Amino acid sequence: MLGAIVDMGVGIARWRTSAAMAFQDIELRYKRSLLGPFWISASLVATMLALAFVFAEVFRQDFVDYIAFLGAGLLAWQLVLALVTEGCGAVIEHSAMLQNLRLPQSLIAGRLALRNAVIFAHNLVAVILVLLMFGVSFSPVALWALPGAMTILLFGYFAAIALSPICARFRDIPLVVQSLMQVIFFLTPIFWMPSAVSHRPMFTQANPFYHMIELVRAPLLGHEALAINWQVALWCCVGAAFAAVVVSSLTYKRISLWL
Amino acid sequence: MAAVTVENASFWYPVYDVTGRSLKVSMMRLLGSGAGEGVVEVQALSDVSLELKDGDRLGLIGRNGAGKSTLLKVLAGLLHPQRGKIKIRGRRIALISRGIGIHPELSGYRNIELPMRLLGANEAEISRAKEEVPVWSGLGDFIHLPVRTYSDGMRARLLFAICTAIRGEVLIMDEWLSAGDADFVHKAQLRLNEMLDTTKIVVLSSHSLEIIRSICNLVCWMEHGRIVMVGPTQEVLAAYLQGVQRPLQGADRRISIG
Protein backbone atom coordinates (compact mmCIF):
# COMPACT_ATOMS: atom_id res chain seq x y z
CA MET A 1 0.00 0.00 0.00
CA LEU A 2 2.67 2.48 1.05
CA GLY A 3 4.80 1.61 -1.98
CA ALA A 4 1.88 2.28 -4.29
CA ILE A 5 1.18 5.65 -2.67
CA VAL A 6 4.86 6.65 -2.92
CA ASP A 7 4.78 5.58 -6.58
CA MET A 8 1.72 7.75 -7.12
CA GLY A 9 3.41 10.67 -5.40
CA VAL A 10 6.47 10.31 -7.64
CA GLY A 11 4.20 10.48 -10.68
CA ILE A 12 2.52 13.64 -9.38
CA ALA A 13 5.87 15.23 -8.56
CA ARG A 14 6.94 14.60 -12.16
CA TRP A 15 3.92 16.51 -13.51
CA ARG A 16 6.16 18.39 -15.92
CA THR A 17 6.79 15.12 -17.73
CA SER A 18 3.04 14.52 -17.99
CA ALA A 19 2.61 18.06 -19.27
CA ALA A 20 5.40 17.69 -21.83
CA MET A 21 3.75 14.54 -23.16
CA ALA A 22 0.26 16.06 -23.20
CA PHE A 23 1.31 19.22 -24.99
CA GLN A 24 3.30 17.18 -27.49
CA ASP A 25 0.12 15.20 -28.22
CA ILE A 26 -1.71 18.44 -28.96
CA GLU A 27 1.17 19.89 -30.95
CA LEU A 28 1.27 16.77 -33.13
CA ARG A 29 -2.43 17.10 -33.85
CA TYR A 30 -1.84 20.65 -35.03
CA LYS A 31 1.13 19.49 -37.10
CA ARG A 32 -0.91 16.92 -38.96
CA SER A 33 -3.75 19.27 -39.81
CA LEU A 34 -4.55 22.93 -39.68
CA LEU A 35 -7.58 22.35 -37.45
CA GLY A 36 -5.64 20.20 -34.99
CA PRO A 37 -7.80 19.14 -32.04
CA PHE A 38 -10.64 21.20 -33.56
CA TRP A 39 -11.28 18.12 -35.69
CA ILE A 40 -12.67 16.49 -32.57
CA SER A 41 -14.70 19.62 -31.93
CA ALA A 42 -15.93 19.49 -35.53
CA SER A 43 -17.27 15.98 -35.05
CA LEU A 44 -18.82 17.03 -31.76
CA VAL A 45 -20.54 19.98 -33.43
CA ALA A 46 -21.73 17.78 -36.30
CA THR A 47 -23.26 15.27 -33.86
CA MET A 48 -24.83 18.08 -31.92
CA LEU A 49 -26.41 19.66 -35.02
CA ALA A 50 -27.68 16.36 -36.42
CA LEU A 51 -29.22 15.24 -33.12
CA ALA A 52 -30.66 18.68 -32.47
CA PHE A 53 -32.44 18.90 -35.82
CA VAL A 54 -34.08 15.51 -35.33
CA PHE A 55 -34.77 15.35 -31.61
CA ALA A 56 -36.02 18.92 -31.23
CA GLU A 57 -38.81 17.69 -33.52
CA VAL A 58 -39.20 14.29 -31.85
CA PHE A 59 -39.53 15.83 -28.39
CA ARG A 60 -41.44 18.88 -29.73
CA GLN A 61 -38.99 21.25 -28.09
CA ASP A 62 -38.02 24.79 -28.98
CA PHE A 63 -34.97 24.35 -31.24
CA VAL A 64 -32.75 26.96 -29.57
CA ASP A 65 -33.49 25.72 -26.06
CA TYR A 66 -32.92 22.15 -27.14
CA ILE A 67 -29.63 22.68 -28.99
CA ALA A 68 -28.25 24.63 -26.01
CA PHE A 69 -29.18 21.77 -23.67
CA LEU A 70 -27.83 19.13 -26.05
CA GLY A 71 -24.64 21.02 -26.93
CA ALA A 72 -23.67 21.62 -23.32
CA GLY A 73 -24.50 18.02 -22.40
CA LEU A 74 -22.54 16.49 -25.28
CA LEU A 75 -19.59 18.72 -24.45
CA ALA A 76 -19.47 17.31 -20.92
CA TRP A 77 -20.17 13.75 -22.08
CA GLN A 78 -17.33 13.91 -24.62
CA LEU A 79 -14.95 14.69 -21.76
CA VAL A 80 -16.24 11.86 -19.56
CA LEU A 81 -16.19 9.37 -22.44
CA ALA A 82 -12.67 10.29 -23.60
CA LEU A 83 -11.30 10.03 -20.05
CA VAL A 84 -12.86 6.66 -19.36
CA THR A 85 -12.05 4.99 -22.70
CA GLU A 86 -8.52 6.42 -22.91
CA GLY A 87 -8.09 5.57 -19.24
CA CYS A 88 -8.81 1.92 -20.06
CA GLY A 89 -6.15 1.90 -22.77
CA ALA A 90 -3.50 3.91 -20.92
CA VAL A 91 -1.16 1.07 -19.93
CA ILE A 92 -1.56 -0.69 -23.26
CA GLU A 93 -0.87 2.58 -25.11
CA HIS A 94 2.35 3.08 -23.14
CA SER A 95 3.54 -0.52 -23.26
CA ALA A 96 6.72 0.28 -25.21
CA MET A 97 7.66 2.95 -22.70
CA LEU A 98 6.76 0.89 -19.65
CA GLN A 99 9.03 -1.91 -20.83
CA ASN A 100 12.01 0.40 -20.76
CA LEU A 101 11.26 3.14 -18.28
CA ARG A 102 9.96 3.41 -14.77
CA LEU A 103 6.78 5.41 -15.21
CA PRO A 104 4.23 5.60 -12.39
CA GLN A 105 0.58 5.19 -13.39
CA SER A 106 -0.14 8.65 -12.04
CA LEU A 107 2.31 10.15 -14.54
CA ILE A 108 0.50 8.48 -17.43
CA ALA A 109 -2.90 9.46 -16.02
CA GLY A 110 -1.61 13.03 -15.76
CA ARG A 111 -0.79 13.04 -19.47
CA LEU A 112 -4.28 11.82 -20.20
CA ALA A 113 -6.01 14.37 -18.00
CA LEU A 114 -3.95 17.31 -19.26
CA ARG A 115 -4.39 16.30 -22.89
CA ASN A 116 -8.14 16.05 -22.43
CA ALA A 117 -8.24 19.35 -20.57
CA VAL A 118 -6.78 21.06 -23.64
CA ILE A 119 -9.16 19.20 -25.95
CA PHE A 120 -12.06 20.20 -23.71
CA ALA A 121 -11.01 23.83 -24.01
CA HIS A 122 -11.14 23.49 -27.80
CA ASN A 123 -14.56 21.84 -27.65
CA LEU A 124 -15.85 24.48 -25.25
CA VAL A 125 -14.89 27.27 -27.64
CA ALA A 126 -16.44 25.45 -30.61
CA VAL A 127 -19.72 24.68 -28.84
CA ILE A 128 -20.07 28.19 -27.45
CA LEU A 129 -19.44 29.71 -30.89
CA VAL A 130 -22.06 27.48 -32.51
CA LEU A 131 -24.60 28.20 -29.78
CA LEU A 132 -23.97 31.95 -30.05
CA MET A 133 -24.68 31.62 -33.77
CA PHE A 134 -28.09 30.16 -32.95
CA GLY A 135 -28.78 33.08 -30.66
CA VAL A 136 -28.14 31.40 -27.30
CA SER A 137 -26.87 33.89 -24.74
CA PHE A 138 -24.51 33.15 -21.86
CA SER A 139 -24.33 34.72 -18.42
CA PRO A 140 -21.26 34.97 -16.16
CA VAL A 141 -22.62 31.93 -14.31
CA ALA A 142 -21.25 29.93 -17.28
CA LEU A 143 -17.77 30.28 -15.75
CA TRP A 144 -18.85 27.67 -13.18
CA ALA A 145 -18.48 25.14 -16.01
CA LEU A 146 -14.71 25.36 -15.57
CA PRO A 147 -14.51 24.02 -11.99
CA GLY A 148 -17.13 21.52 -13.12
CA ALA A 149 -14.88 20.29 -15.93
CA MET A 150 -11.96 20.16 -13.51
CA THR A 151 -13.97 17.90 -11.24
CA ILE A 152 -14.67 15.56 -14.16
CA LEU A 153 -10.96 15.63 -15.04
CA LEU A 154 -10.06 14.74 -11.47
CA PHE A 155 -12.47 11.80 -11.61
CA GLY A 156 -11.00 10.72 -14.96
CA TYR A 157 -7.47 10.99 -13.60
CA PHE A 158 -8.17 8.57 -10.74
CA ALA A 159 -10.35 6.36 -12.93
CA ALA A 160 -7.43 5.97 -15.37
CA ILE A 161 -5.09 4.90 -12.56
CA ALA A 162 -7.66 2.37 -11.38
CA LEU A 163 -8.80 1.05 -14.76
CA SER A 164 -5.65 0.91 -16.87
CA PRO A 165 -3.77 -1.87 -14.98
CA ILE A 166 -6.91 -4.04 -14.88
CA CYS A 167 -7.47 -3.46 -18.58
CA ALA A 168 -3.88 -4.43 -19.31
CA ARG A 169 -4.24 -7.67 -17.38
CA PHE A 170 -7.65 -8.60 -18.77
CA ARG A 171 -7.81 -7.50 -22.36
CA ASP A 172 -11.54 -8.01 -22.70
CA ILE A 173 -12.40 -5.33 -20.14
CA PRO A 174 -11.84 -2.30 -22.42
CA LEU A 175 -14.46 -3.74 -24.79
CA VAL A 176 -16.89 -4.26 -21.93
CA VAL A 177 -16.36 -0.71 -20.71
CA GLN A 178 -16.85 0.61 -24.22
CA SER A 179 -20.24 -1.04 -24.59
CA LEU A 180 -21.15 0.03 -21.09
CA MET A 181 -20.40 3.65 -21.87
CA GLN A 182 -22.64 3.41 -24.90
CA VAL A 183 -25.49 2.18 -22.73
CA ILE A 184 -24.79 4.90 -20.16
CA PHE A 185 -24.98 7.52 -22.91
CA PHE A 186 -28.59 6.50 -23.58
CA LEU A 187 -29.46 6.17 -19.89
CA THR A 188 -28.11 9.61 -19.02
CA PRO A 189 -30.19 12.67 -19.84
CA ILE A 190 -28.01 14.12 -22.59
CA PHE A 191 -30.25 14.11 -25.63
CA TRP A 192 -33.42 13.71 -23.57
CA MET A 193 -34.52 16.09 -20.83
CA PRO A 194 -34.47 15.02 -17.18
CA SER A 195 -37.92 16.64 -16.85
CA ALA A 196 -39.26 13.82 -19.07
CA VAL A 197 -38.78 11.39 -16.18
CA SER A 198 -39.64 13.81 -13.34
CA HIS A 199 -42.15 11.27 -12.02
CA ARG A 200 -39.28 8.81 -11.54
CA PRO A 201 -36.48 10.96 -10.09
CA MET A 202 -34.22 7.98 -9.39
CA PHE A 203 -33.70 7.56 -13.16
CA THR A 204 -31.50 10.62 -13.06
CA GLN A 205 -30.56 11.00 -9.40
CA ALA A 206 -29.06 7.52 -9.12
CA ASN A 207 -26.86 8.05 -12.15
CA PRO A 208 -23.49 9.53 -11.12
CA PHE A 209 -22.79 10.57 -14.71
CA TYR A 210 -25.89 12.77 -14.65
CA HIS A 211 -24.47 14.72 -11.74
CA MET A 212 -21.06 15.09 -13.36
CA ILE A 213 -22.57 16.33 -16.58
CA GLU A 214 -24.76 18.80 -14.71
CA LEU A 215 -21.64 20.45 -13.29
CA VAL A 216 -20.73 21.62 -16.79
CA ARG A 217 -24.14 21.81 -18.43
CA ALA A 218 -26.12 23.76 -15.84
CA PRO A 219 -23.78 26.78 -15.74
CA LEU A 220 -23.66 26.95 -19.53
CA LEU A 221 -27.47 27.05 -19.53
CA GLY A 222 -27.41 29.96 -17.09
CA HIS A 223 -27.94 28.42 -13.67
CA GLU A 224 -25.58 26.98 -11.11
CA ALA A 225 -25.37 23.23 -10.59
CA LEU A 226 -27.19 21.98 -7.50
CA ALA A 227 -25.39 21.15 -4.29
CA ILE A 228 -26.38 17.50 -4.76
CA ASN A 229 -24.63 17.47 -8.15
CA TRP A 230 -21.41 18.67 -6.56
CA GLN A 231 -21.73 16.26 -3.67
CA VAL A 232 -22.23 13.21 -5.86
CA ALA A 233 -19.50 14.22 -8.31
CA LEU A 234 -16.99 14.87 -5.55
CA TRP A 235 -17.86 11.59 -3.84
CA CYS A 236 -17.25 9.89 -7.19
CA CYS A 237 -13.78 11.47 -7.22
CA VAL A 238 -13.15 10.19 -3.69
CA GLY A 239 -14.37 6.73 -4.70
CA ALA A 240 -12.19 6.73 -7.81
CA ALA A 241 -9.19 7.89 -5.76
CA PHE A 242 -9.78 5.07 -3.31
CA ALA A 243 -10.08 2.57 -6.17
CA ALA A 244 -6.87 4.00 -7.66
CA VAL A 245 -4.94 3.41 -4.44
CA VAL A 246 -6.34 -0.10 -4.00
CA VAL A 247 -5.70 -1.17 -7.59
CA SER A 248 -2.24 0.40 -7.58
CA SER A 249 -1.16 -1.35 -4.43
CA LEU A 250 -2.34 -4.66 -5.87
CA THR A 251 -0.82 -4.18 -9.31
CA TYR A 252 2.01 -1.66 -9.48
CA LYS A 253 4.70 -4.29 -9.14
CA ARG A 254 3.20 -6.49 -11.82
CA ILE A 255 2.10 -4.10 -14.55
CA SER A 256 5.33 -4.64 -16.49
CA LEU A 257 4.43 -8.35 -16.75
CA TRP A 258 1.17 -7.64 -18.52
CA LEU A 259 2.42 -5.51 -21.40
CA MET B 1 27.74 7.36 -1.10
CA ALA B 2 25.88 5.21 -3.57
CA ALA B 3 25.15 1.54 -3.09
CA VAL B 4 23.37 -1.31 -4.82
CA THR B 5 22.28 -4.33 -2.80
CA VAL B 6 20.52 -7.37 -4.15
CA GLU B 7 19.55 -10.01 -1.61
CA ASN B 8 18.47 -13.47 -2.78
CA ALA B 9 16.36 -12.09 -5.59
CA SER B 10 14.28 -14.54 -7.60
CA PHE B 11 12.13 -13.57 -10.48
CA TRP B 12 9.88 -15.47 -12.86
CA TYR B 13 7.93 -14.24 -15.83
CA PRO B 14 4.33 -15.34 -16.13
CA VAL B 15 3.64 -15.96 -19.81
CA TYR B 16 -0.06 -15.70 -20.55
CA ASP B 17 -1.71 -17.46 -23.44
CA VAL B 18 -4.63 -15.76 -25.13
CA THR B 19 -7.26 -17.21 -22.81
CA GLY B 20 -5.25 -16.23 -19.74
CA ARG B 21 -5.81 -12.60 -20.65
CA SER B 22 -9.56 -12.82 -20.70
CA LEU B 23 -11.54 -11.95 -17.59
CA LYS B 24 -14.42 -14.12 -18.76
CA VAL B 25 -12.25 -17.21 -19.09
CA SER B 26 -10.44 -16.48 -15.83
CA MET B 27 -13.73 -16.20 -13.98
CA MET B 28 -14.93 -19.47 -15.46
CA ARG B 29 -11.72 -21.10 -14.26
CA LEU B 30 -12.40 -19.80 -10.77
CA LEU B 31 -15.81 -21.42 -10.95
CA GLY B 32 -14.00 -24.67 -11.59
CA SER B 33 -14.48 -25.52 -15.22
CA GLY B 34 -11.26 -27.50 -14.87
CA ALA B 35 -9.37 -25.95 -17.75
CA GLY B 36 -5.62 -25.21 -17.48
CA GLU B 37 -4.32 -22.05 -15.90
CA GLY B 38 -3.46 -20.24 -19.10
CA VAL B 39 -0.19 -19.14 -17.51
CA VAL B 40 3.27 -20.62 -17.97
CA GLU B 41 5.98 -19.50 -15.59
CA VAL B 42 9.52 -18.97 -16.79
CA GLN B 43 12.18 -18.73 -14.13
CA ALA B 44 14.50 -15.89 -15.11
CA LEU B 45 16.47 -15.22 -11.91
CA SER B 46 17.13 -17.67 -9.08
CA ASP B 47 18.53 -16.53 -5.79
CA VAL B 48 20.73 -13.72 -7.06
CA SER B 49 22.74 -11.67 -4.57
CA LEU B 50 25.03 -8.77 -5.32
CA GLU B 51 26.60 -5.93 -3.43
CA LEU B 52 28.08 -2.90 -5.17
CA LYS B 53 29.67 0.21 -3.73
CA ASP B 54 31.22 3.43 -5.02
CA GLY B 55 33.67 2.86 -7.82
CA ASP B 56 32.29 -0.52 -8.86
CA ARG B 57 31.70 -1.02 -12.56
CA LEU B 58 30.04 -4.31 -13.01
CA GLY B 59 29.74 -6.06 -16.35
CA LEU B 60 27.10 -8.75 -16.81
CA ILE B 61 28.06 -11.56 -19.15
CA GLY B 62 26.47 -14.84 -20.14
CA ARG B 63 24.71 -16.53 -22.99
CA ASN B 64 21.39 -15.39 -24.38
CA GLY B 65 18.72 -16.20 -21.84
CA ALA B 66 21.15 -16.31 -18.94
CA GLY B 67 19.19 -13.61 -17.11
CA LYS B 68 21.37 -10.58 -17.83
CA SER B 69 18.56 -8.43 -19.17
CA THR B 70 16.21 -9.50 -16.41
CA LEU B 71 18.74 -8.60 -13.73
CA LEU B 72 19.32 -5.28 -15.47
CA LYS B 73 15.58 -4.57 -15.51
CA VAL B 74 15.29 -5.56 -11.86
CA LEU B 75 18.09 -3.12 -11.00
CA ALA B 76 16.39 -0.48 -13.14
CA GLY B 77 13.22 -0.91 -11.10
CA LEU B 78 11.21 -2.08 -14.10
CA LEU B 79 10.66 -5.58 -12.75
CA HIS B 80 10.00 -6.41 -9.13
CA PRO B 81 11.40 -9.76 -7.99
CA GLN B 82 8.79 -12.03 -6.45
CA ARG B 83 11.28 -13.09 -3.80
CA GLY B 84 14.25 -11.28 -2.30
CA LYS B 85 15.14 -7.62 -1.87
CA ILE B 86 16.64 -4.83 -3.95
CA LYS B 87 18.05 -1.66 -2.48
CA ILE B 88 19.49 1.21 -4.48
CA ARG B 89 21.03 4.22 -2.81
CA GLY B 90 21.76 7.23 -4.98
CA ARG B 91 20.17 8.67 -8.09
CA ARG B 92 19.50 5.86 -10.51
CA ILE B 93 19.57 6.36 -14.26
CA ALA B 94 18.55 3.41 -16.41
CA LEU B 95 19.35 3.37 -20.11
CA ILE B 96 17.71 0.14 -21.16
CA SER B 97 16.61 1.04 -24.63
CA ARG B 98 17.37 3.88 -26.98
CA GLY B 99 14.90 6.16 -28.63
CA ILE B 100 12.13 6.10 -26.06
CA GLY B 101 10.08 9.26 -26.32
CA ILE B 102 11.55 10.30 -29.66
CA HIS B 103 8.86 11.36 -32.11
CA PRO B 104 9.83 11.12 -35.80
CA GLU B 105 7.58 14.02 -36.82
CA LEU B 106 9.29 16.49 -34.50
CA SER B 107 12.66 18.11 -35.07
CA GLY B 108 15.80 16.87 -33.36
CA TYR B 109 15.77 19.95 -31.17
CA ARG B 110 12.15 19.50 -30.11
CA ASN B 111 12.98 15.88 -29.33
CA ILE B 112 15.49 16.68 -26.61
CA GLU B 113 13.12 17.59 -23.79
CA LEU B 114 10.69 14.69 -23.57
CA PRO B 115 13.17 11.78 -23.70
CA MET B 116 15.20 13.52 -21.01
CA ARG B 117 12.16 14.08 -18.82
CA LEU B 118 11.20 10.45 -19.25
CA LEU B 119 14.65 9.44 -18.07
CA GLY B 120 14.10 11.62 -15.01
CA ALA B 121 16.20 14.68 -15.88
CA ASN B 122 15.74 17.90 -13.92
CA GLU B 123 15.28 21.42 -15.31
CA ALA B 124 18.98 22.30 -15.21
CA GLU B 125 19.95 19.15 -17.09
CA ILE B 126 17.32 19.78 -19.74
CA SER B 127 18.35 23.35 -20.42
CA ARG B 128 22.00 22.29 -20.51
CA ALA B 129 21.16 19.48 -22.93
CA LYS B 130 19.31 21.89 -25.20
CA GLU B 131 22.54 23.82 -25.67
CA GLU B 132 24.91 20.89 -25.65
CA VAL B 133 23.14 18.23 -27.74
CA PRO B 134 22.89 20.22 -31.00
CA VAL B 135 26.60 21.05 -30.80
CA TRP B 136 27.87 17.63 -29.78
CA SER B 137 25.72 15.68 -32.22
CA GLY B 138 27.14 17.76 -35.08
CA LEU B 139 23.79 17.70 -36.85
CA GLY B 140 24.09 21.32 -37.95
CA ASP B 141 20.87 22.64 -39.48
CA PHE B 142 19.40 19.13 -39.44
CA ILE B 143 18.67 19.66 -35.75
CA HIS B 144 15.67 21.73 -36.86
CA LEU B 145 14.34 19.12 -39.31
CA PRO B 146 12.02 16.25 -38.38
CA VAL B 147 13.86 13.20 -37.06
CA ARG B 148 12.24 11.01 -39.72
CA THR B 149 14.46 12.74 -42.32
CA TYR B 150 17.62 11.61 -40.49
CA SER B 151 19.97 8.85 -41.61
CA ASP B 152 20.63 5.99 -39.19
CA GLY B 153 23.94 7.53 -38.24
CA MET B 154 22.44 10.94 -37.54
CA ARG B 155 19.69 9.40 -35.48
CA ALA B 156 22.25 7.40 -33.51
CA ARG B 157 24.26 10.56 -32.80
CA LEU B 158 21.16 12.39 -31.56
CA LEU B 159 20.03 9.53 -29.34
CA PHE B 160 23.48 9.03 -27.92
CA ALA B 161 23.86 12.73 -27.16
CA ILE B 162 20.48 12.82 -25.39
CA CYS B 163 21.06 9.66 -23.33
CA THR B 164 24.47 10.79 -22.18
CA ALA B 165 23.32 14.28 -21.20
CA ILE B 166 21.92 13.02 -17.91
CA ARG B 167 24.12 12.09 -14.97
CA GLY B 168 23.28 9.84 -12.09
CA GLU B 169 25.07 8.09 -9.27
CA VAL B 170 23.96 4.62 -10.30
CA LEU B 171 23.94 3.95 -14.02
CA ILE B 172 22.22 0.85 -15.36
CA MET B 173 22.71 0.27 -19.06
CA ASP B 174 22.18 -2.31 -21.71
CA GLU B 175 24.69 -2.48 -24.52
CA TRP B 176 23.48 0.10 -26.94
CA LEU B 177 26.58 1.80 -28.19
CA SER B 178 26.31 1.01 -31.85
CA ALA B 179 25.75 2.40 -35.35
CA GLY B 180 27.41 5.47 -36.75
CA ASP B 181 30.65 6.08 -38.55
CA ALA B 182 34.15 5.45 -37.20
CA ASP B 183 34.54 9.09 -36.32
CA PHE B 184 31.40 8.92 -34.21
CA VAL B 185 32.44 5.78 -32.35
CA HIS B 186 35.62 7.48 -31.19
CA LYS B 187 33.76 10.62 -30.18
CA ALA B 188 31.11 8.54 -28.43
CA GLN B 189 33.77 6.64 -26.51
CA LEU B 190 35.16 9.89 -25.13
CA ARG B 191 31.75 11.12 -24.08
CA LEU B 192 30.81 7.78 -22.58
CA ASN B 193 34.05 7.69 -20.57
CA GLU B 194 33.37 11.18 -19.32
CA MET B 195 29.90 10.06 -18.26
CA LEU B 196 31.24 6.93 -16.55
CA ASP B 197 33.86 8.97 -14.72
CA THR B 198 31.18 11.06 -13.05
CA THR B 199 29.06 8.03 -12.14
CA LYS B 200 29.65 6.18 -8.89
CA ILE B 201 28.28 2.76 -9.76
CA VAL B 202 27.86 1.31 -13.25
CA VAL B 203 26.10 -1.91 -14.21
CA LEU B 204 26.48 -2.80 -17.87
CA SER B 205 25.22 -5.79 -19.75
CA SER B 206 27.04 -6.68 -22.93
CA HIS B 207 27.89 -9.49 -25.27
CA SER B 208 31.10 -7.76 -26.22
CA LEU B 209 33.95 -8.83 -23.95
CA GLU B 210 35.87 -5.98 -25.55
CA ILE B 211 33.51 -3.40 -24.08
CA ILE B 212 33.40 -5.20 -20.74
CA ARG B 213 37.20 -5.23 -20.55
CA SER B 214 37.51 -1.56 -21.36
CA ILE B 215 34.85 -0.36 -18.92
CA CYS B 216 34.36 -2.78 -16.05
CA ASN B 217 36.47 -3.61 -13.01
CA LEU B 218 34.05 -6.32 -11.89
CA VAL B 219 32.32 -9.01 -13.91
CA CYS B 220 29.30 -11.12 -13.07
CA TRP B 221 28.93 -14.30 -15.10
CA MET B 222 25.40 -15.65 -15.29
CA GLU B 223 23.91 -18.94 -16.47
CA HIS B 224 20.28 -20.10 -16.19
CA GLY B 225 19.34 -17.11 -14.08
CA ARG B 226 22.03 -17.83 -11.50
CA ILE B 227 25.30 -16.13 -10.79
CA VAL B 228 28.14 -18.49 -11.63
CA MET B 229 30.92 -16.19 -10.57
CA VAL B 230 31.51 -12.58 -9.56
CA GLY B 231 34.93 -11.00 -9.26
CA PRO B 232 37.67 -8.92 -10.85
CA THR B 233 37.34 -8.67 -14.63
CA GLN B 234 40.43 -10.66 -15.60
CA GLU B 235 39.67 -13.59 -13.32
CA VAL B 236 36.04 -14.00 -14.29
CA LEU B 237 36.65 -13.50 -17.99
CA ALA B 238 39.36 -16.17 -17.97
CA ALA B 239 37.04 -18.64 -16.25
CA TYR B 240 34.19 -17.66 -18.55
CA LEU B 241 36.23 -18.19 -21.70
CA GLN B 242 37.21 -21.63 -20.45
CA GLY B 243 33.64 -22.37 -19.38
CA VAL B 244 31.97 -21.53 -22.65
CA GLN B 245 34.19 -23.99 -24.51
CA ARG B 246 32.37 -26.78 -22.67
CA PRO B 247 28.91 -27.59 -23.95
CA LEU B 248 26.25 -26.67 -21.44
CA GLN B 249 24.78 -29.50 -19.40
CA GLY B 250 21.12 -30.02 -18.61
CA ALA B 251 17.93 -28.35 -19.68
CA ASP B 252 17.77 -24.66 -20.44
CA ARG B 253 15.86 -22.88 -17.64
CA ARG B 254 13.24 -24.36 -15.44
CA ILE B 255 9.78 -24.11 -16.89
CA SER B 256 6.82 -25.11 -14.80
CA ILE B 257 3.39 -25.41 -16.31
CA GLY B 258 0.21 -25.12 -14.34
Side-chain angles (χ1 to χ4, degrees), chain B residues 150-157 179-180:
Chain B
Y150 289 16
S151 68
D152 285 348
M154 290 160 72
R155 189 186 288 250
R157 288 209 297 263

Side-chain angles (χ1 to χ4, degrees), chain B residues 198-215:
Chain B
T198 54
T199 305
K200 290 177 178 160
I201 296 177
V202 178
V203 182
L204 165 80
S205 156
S206 181
H207 282 107
S208 158
L209 300 186
E210 203 77 28
I211 292 179
I212 298 272
R213 252 192 215 105
S214 71
I215 292 176

Side-chain angles (χ1 to χ4, degrees), chain B residues 16-149:
Chain B
Y16 301 93
D17 62 19
V18 182
T19 59
R21 312 216 66 163
S22 155
L23 178 65
K24 192 180 82 188
V25 177
S26 301
M27 294 299 269
M28 277 163 61
R29 278 202 190 103
L30 270 181
L31 295 174
S33 66
E37 272 285 309
V39 184
V40 177
E41 281 176 356
V42 178
Q43 187 81 28
L45 289 181
S46 318
D47 212 18
V48 168
S49 297
L50 269 179
E51 201 147 334
L52 302 175
K53 52 185 191 319
D54 281 5
D56 286 348
R57 285 146 186 231
L58 179 75
L60 301 176
I61 56 169
R63 283 170 240 250
N64 284 324
K68 304 189 299 285
S69 300
T70 305
L71 180 54
L72 216 59
K73 285 192 169 186
V74 163
L75 291 174
L78 297 173
L79 298 176
H80 301 264
Q82 284 93 343
R83 248 187 265 130
K85 263 193 234 154
I86 305 286
K87 243 191 254 159
I88 308 267
R89 215 160 65 194
R91 186 185 187 201
R92 165 173 61 184
I93 303 294
L95 304 174
I96 302 291
S97 147
R98 289 185 307 167
I100 289 296
I102 295 273
H103 201 287
E105 287 297 321
L106 296 174
S107 71
Y109 186 76
R110 295 279 293 110
N111 261 312
I112 295 171
E113 183 181 340
L114 187 54
M116 292 208 58
R117 284 205 190 280
L118 288 171
L119 289 172
N122 56 35
E123 302 309 308
E125 285 170 319
I126 290 166
S127 56
R128 185 156 16 93
K130 280 184 173 170
E131 288 168 18
E132 185 189 272
V133 168
V135 179
W136 188 88
S137 62
L139 288 168
D141 290 338
F142 268 99
I143 198 78
H144 298 296
L145 287 180
V147 169
R148 72 179 146 78
T149 63

Side-chain angles (χ1 to χ4, degrees), chain B residues 230-250:
Chain B
V230 194
T233 305
Q234 286 310 326
E235 262 172 53
V236 179
L237 282 187
Y240 174 72
L241 287 171
Q242 249 176 7
V244 285
Q245 318 275 319
R246 276 187 285 120
L248 218 57
Q249 302 286 310

